[in-house]
Amino acid sequence: MVATALLIMPCNIQAQQNEEVKIGKQNIRLQSKLMTPEALWAMGRIGSCEASPDGRLIVYQVGYYSVKANKSQQKIAIVNADGTGNTTLTIGSKSESEPTWIDNETIAFMTGGEVWKMKADGSGRQQLSKTDGQVEGFKFSPDRSKVILLKSIPFHEVIKKNPDDLPKATGRLVTDLMYRHWDHYVESIQHPFLYTVGDGLTISATGNDILEGEPFECPMEPFGGIEQLDWSPDSKSIAYTCRKKTGLAYSISTDSDIYLYIIGTRETKNLCKPTGYVAPEVDPTITLRVQAVNSPENLKNNVGYDQNPQFSPDGRYIAWQSMERDGYEADLNRLCIYNLATGEKSYVDWKSDVEAFCWAASKSRADKEVKGKNGGVAKVSSPRLYFLSVWEGCCNMYTVLNNGNVFQLTETWDDWTSIKMANNGNSILATRQSLSHPTDIYRVLPRERFATRSKAPKGHVFKAVTGTEVQQVTQENDHILSQLTLGKMQQYWVPTTDGKKELVWVMLPANYEEGKKYPTLLFCEGGPQSPVSQFWSYRWNFQMMAANGYVVVAPNRHGLPGFGQEWKEQISGDWTGQCMQDYLSAIDFAADSLPFVDRNRLGAVGASFGGFSVYYLAGIHEKRFKAFIAHDGAFNLAAMYTETEENWFSNWEYDEAYWHRPQMPNAKKTYHDSPHKMVEKWDTPILCIHGELDYRINYTQGMSAFNAARMKGIPAELLIFPDENHWVLKPQNGVLWQRTFFNWLDRWLK
C-alpha cells in the first residue's frame, strides 16, 4: 500500500496545457488548472464524524485513494471544534475507521476487523475485541458496560451449503429468490451480537446473538450499517431494524420494522405491528399498490420501510424514518415518533423526504421559551428533532419542535448529508457538499429568531429560523480546489408540457468565455426517484464535465423528490411519458434560450434510470443529440423484470409481470415502450458502460444495447467492468471510466 497521507498536504498547481504536477507523491496531469480524473481521485473523502463529550474536539474518518496502487486507505483525523489543529491520527498503512468517543480522552475505532481504542492524540493504542477479525461494526452502550458487535453468520436459506466432501465445488444450489443482492451472492448475513465490557473497555471473548436462531439480516442489505441499531439511554434495551422475511417474500416486500430488545429478559417487541399481526396474502406478480397489504386499514401497521431508530435523550421516545406503503421504496420518507409509555405513534407533518435526523440534546441552548408565530411564545424543550430534507434541488436542515412546528435552519445551494448533535448540546455537527465542493464538516448553531416563510410546499406552511450560524470545521480539499478553475452554476425554472415548471441546474464550462458557444450535455438522473440536488460525485462530477469544456443541463424532471409527493410519484408506471418530455423541454430550452449552448453539439448521458433514459431518448430524440452515453441502464424491461433481485421495484414501477394477459394500462405501456423495441429508430453514436457485478440491472442489459447498435451499423463502444457493481469503486477503473467518457464525447461533440 502506498502511503497516501501526503495527499492532504498543500500542493502547487501551476500548470500549462497537459503539464504534469505533483499532488503529494502523485503526478497529476492538468490542463491549465482544470480538474482531471487524477486530481479528483486525489481528494480526501470525509466519512463519519463525532464531537467529544465536552465539544472541544471532533474526530472523523477520511478516505484516500492511490490510483497507482489501485487501493484506498481509511484514516482517522482529529480537529479542534473551531477548525484549528487538524491532525491525522492514523500513521500506519492499515485502514482505520468508525471513530467514536468513549470519553474526552479516549477514542474507539475499528481496524483489521476488531475494535480498538486510543488516546485523543493517537497514542496508547489497544485492541479491545478478539474475534479473529470478524467485527463489521460496533456501538458501545451509554454506560460502557456492553457493546453491540456486528458480525456475519452463515446463511443457507436460499443457497444450500455444498457437501462437506466437496470443498472445492463452486456450484450454488439456489432454492428461492434473493439469492444475490446488489453485488454478491447471499451466503452470509449480518447479525448484532451483545458483548459485555470489562475493565479498560476490554470486550468479553463471547457474546450472545440478539437474533439467535432467526434467519434474518440486521442491519439490512445492501447499505445498512450500525445506524440501524440504537441503545436506550439507560443501557437496558436496544432498538433495531429488521425485515423478518426471506426468499420470495423478501424480494417483493419493503416491510421492515423497528424492534425493541430488552437485555435483562431477552424479550423482543415489534414497535410497528400489533401483537399477532399476520400480513395479508399477496400475488407476487402484481404491484402491491392494489393489494390488501396496502389497504387503508392495513397501512396503520407500518407496512413500508421503517429503519434507523434513535432514542430520545430522556429515553421516553424512539424516532425513526418510516415509509407508509409496502413494496414502494420511494414512498414519502416520514419521521415517526413513538411514545414508549403509551405505544402511540405520531408523524412530523412534512411534505418531502427526511434524509437523516437526530434528537436535540436534553439540555440544548434551545430549551427555553422563544417567540413563535404571530409573536406568541412557544415552549421549546425536549423532545426536539433536527432533520435534513430535499426541497427544490437542495438538501437543507430543519428542526421540529414538540408542538409539531417545523422551522428551516439553513437555506443555501448545498446538500447537507449527515447530522448529529455535538455532545455538549450547544451545536449541531453536520457534513455538507455541493456541485462545486466535496464534503466537509461544519458546526451549525441554530438561533431562536423565527420568521414566517411564504415559499413552502403546496398546502404546507413552514417557518424559517433566521440568524443560524454555520462554521466550517474542515477544509479537506481546499489545497486542491483553490488551485483549480471551476465552472459556475446557474438555476432556471423551465416550463413543462403539462403546464408546470421544472428546476434545471446549468453548469458553465470552467474555461467559459462570453460570446462563445459550447458543446452541451443533458444529464439524466437515476433512481428513478433520486434528487438532482447539490451532490458531489466522484464519477458523475459536473465540475469534471465543466473542466472538459462542456455545459451541463441537469433537470429536476417529474419523478424527483423535493417538489411534493405528487410530482415524485408521477413517474411510477410512466417511465416513457412526462419525464421524457421534461428532458426534452430542458434541452430545448437550453438550445433555444441560452446563448452559450451550441444546439448542433448536444449529448445525453446518464446512469441506472438515467441510462434507461438515454436508451429511450435514442429512439425519440429526432436528431437533437449527436452522442449518447448510458451507464448501467435498463434496456429490455421485460428481461429486467425477472433479472433484478429486488422484485418489489419492478412490480411497483411496471404494475405487473410481463406475461400477464390482459395487462393493466401502465404495464402494457411500460413493456410496449421498452427501449429495446425502439432500436429501429436509433441513428446516433452510443457508448454503453456496465459492471458485471451489477445485480440490480444485469450487465446483459448493457451488452444487449451495444450489440443492437453495432448490428444496426451505429458507431458504438462497450466499456465492461468484470469487477464493478452498479457503481465504479476502484481507482484505476474510475480513471478509465472518466477517460473513456470524455474521449467518446470529444469524438462526436468537438
Side-chain angles (χ1 to χ4, degrees), residues 252-255 288 294 303-304 325-329 648-649 652:
I252 62 172
S253 173
T254 58
D255 185 7
L288 297 185
N294 282 320
V303 297
R325 290 168 285 182
D326 192 4
Y328 189 24
E329 67 171 4
W648 66 76
F649 174 79
W652 193 277

Side-chain angles (χ1 to χ4, degrees), residues 116-375:
W116 287 61
K117 72 174 182 178
M118 62 180 166
K119 294 181 180 178
D121 61 2
S123 65
R125 292 167 181 265
Q126 179 184 344
Q127 183 175 335
L128 302 178
S129 65
K130 294 183 179 180
T131 66
D132 295 325
Q134 298 180 45
V135 180
E136 297 166 345
F138 72 96
K139 183 173 283 190
F140 280 93
S141 61
D143 66 4
R144 311 305 186 205
S145 67
K146 294 172 282 291
V147 64
I148 299 169
L149 300 184
L150 299 182
K151 300 193 300 180
S152 288
I153 63 172
F155 179 75
H156 297 296
E157 292 291 314
V158 295
I159 301 178
K160 294 304 179 183
K161 182 178 182 297
N162 283 338
D164 292 338
D165 63 337
L166 301 176
K168 296 184 179 180
T170 59
R172 293 183 174 98
L173 178 60
V174 178
T175 61
D176 207 343
L177 297 188
M178 288 311 300
Y179 52 90
R180 59 183 193 177
H181 207 165
W182 188 251
D183 60 2
H184 62 278
Y185 282 84
V186 183
E187 297 175 283
S188 65
I189 57 175
Q190 279 189 334
H191 268 198
F193 289 77
L194 184 62
Y195 284 75
T196 58
V197 176
D199 294 340
L201 297 177
T202 301
I203 298 171
S204 60
T206 59
N208 67 284
D209 185 350
I210 292 175
L211 272 70
E212 185 175 3
E214 297 188 64
F216 312 117
E217 63 192 19
C218 176
M220 297 191 301
E221 292 275 16
F223 308 123
I226 196 65
E227 76 283 350
Q228 294 198 344
L229 301 97
D230 196 40
W231 282 98
S232 62
D234 63 6
S235 302
K236 294 181 179 180
S237 58
I238 297 168
Y240 68 87
T241 308
C242 191
R243 176 167 40 210
K244 297 199 173 183
K245 300 175 186 288
T246 61
L248 173 63
Y250 185 117
S251 77
I252 62 172
S253 173
T254 58
D255 185 7
S256 60
D257 292 322
I258 304 301
Y259 294 86
L260 185 66
Y261 176 80
I262 309 301
I263 295 174
T265 62
R266 298 192 179 185
E267 296 176 328
T268 299
K269 178 183 179 181
N270 188 331
L271 302 186
C272 295
K273 305 284 195 301
T275 302
Y277 171 81
V278 177
E281 293 291 329
V282 299
D283 183 337
T285 65
I286 297 177
T287 174
L288 297 185
R289 182 193 298 111
V290 300
Q291 300 196 53
V293 69
N294 282 320
S295 68
E297 184 63 28
N298 203 52
L299 289 180
K300 298 176 183 178
N301 297 311
N302 290 72
V303 297
Y305 267 130
D306 292 278
Q307 56 186 331
N308 303 335
Q310 292 184 32
F311 283 89
S312 63
D314 58 15
R316 294 185 298 159
Y317 303 89
I318 299 178
W320 66 78
Q321 291 163 282
S322 176
M323 294 187 185
E324 185 176 40
R325 290 168 285 182
D326 192 4
Y328 189 24
E329 67 171 4
D331 205 354
L332 180 66
N333 209 1
R334 308 167 299 173
L335 189 53
C336 176
I337 302 172
Y338 180 90
N339 187 316
L340 283 162
T342 66
E344 179 184 5
K345 293 191 287 281
S346 60
Y347 299 87
V348 174
D349 185 12
W350 186 241
K351 305 303 181 183
S352 192
D353 295 325
V354 172
E355 303 292 342
F357 73 96
C358 70
W359 289 94
S362 57
K363 296 181 180 180
S364 72
R365 60 168 39 181
D367 290 349
K368 60 183 180 181
E369 291 186 348
V370 297
K371 290 185 178 181
K373 185 178 179 181
N374 300 323

Side-chain angles (χ1 to χ4, degrees), residues 494-567:
V494 175
T496 57
T497 58
D498 64 345
K500 300 177 182 178
K501 291 184 178 181
E502 61 178 331
L503 184 153
V504 179
W505 298 114
V506 174
M507 181 72 74
L508 298 179
N511 56 359
Y512 175 77
E513 296 179 25
E514 196 77 28
K516 290 186 63 175
K517 288 184 178 291
Y518 294 89
T520 299
L521 304 177
L522 174 69
F523 172 75
C524 302
E525 177 60 49
Q529 289 152 304
S530 300
V532 180
S533 55
Q534 288 293 309
F535 65 92
W536 177 269
S537 171
Y538 286 92
R539 185 167 68 259
W540 294 94
N541 188 283
F542 287 12
Q543 286 295 347
M544 180 67 70
M545 299 176 196
N548 281 270
Y550 290 93
V551 175
V552 184
V553 176
N556 276 271
R557 51 154 176 83
H558 279 75
L560 302 190
F563 303 89
Q565 197 67 7
E566 180 182 353
W567 179 278

Side-chain angles (χ1 to χ4, degrees), residues 414-462:
D414 294 292
D415 272 7
W416 293 90
T417 54
S418 71
I419 183 171
K420 62 175 61 177
M421 287 302 300
N423 290 336
N424 62 355
N426 292 328
S427 61
I428 301 167
L429 191 63
T431 52
R432 188 177 78 179
Q433 60 183 223
S434 75
L435 288 169
S436 300
H437 199 284
T439 300
D440 266 312
I441 300 170
Y442 298 79
R443 291 176 67 233
V444 179
L445 289 79
R447 305 303 185 190
E448 290 80 32
R449 290 181 287 150
F450 298 149
T452 300
R453 174 178 164 86
S454 59
K455 189 177 181 183
K458 185 178 180 181
H460 187 88
V461 177
F462 62 94

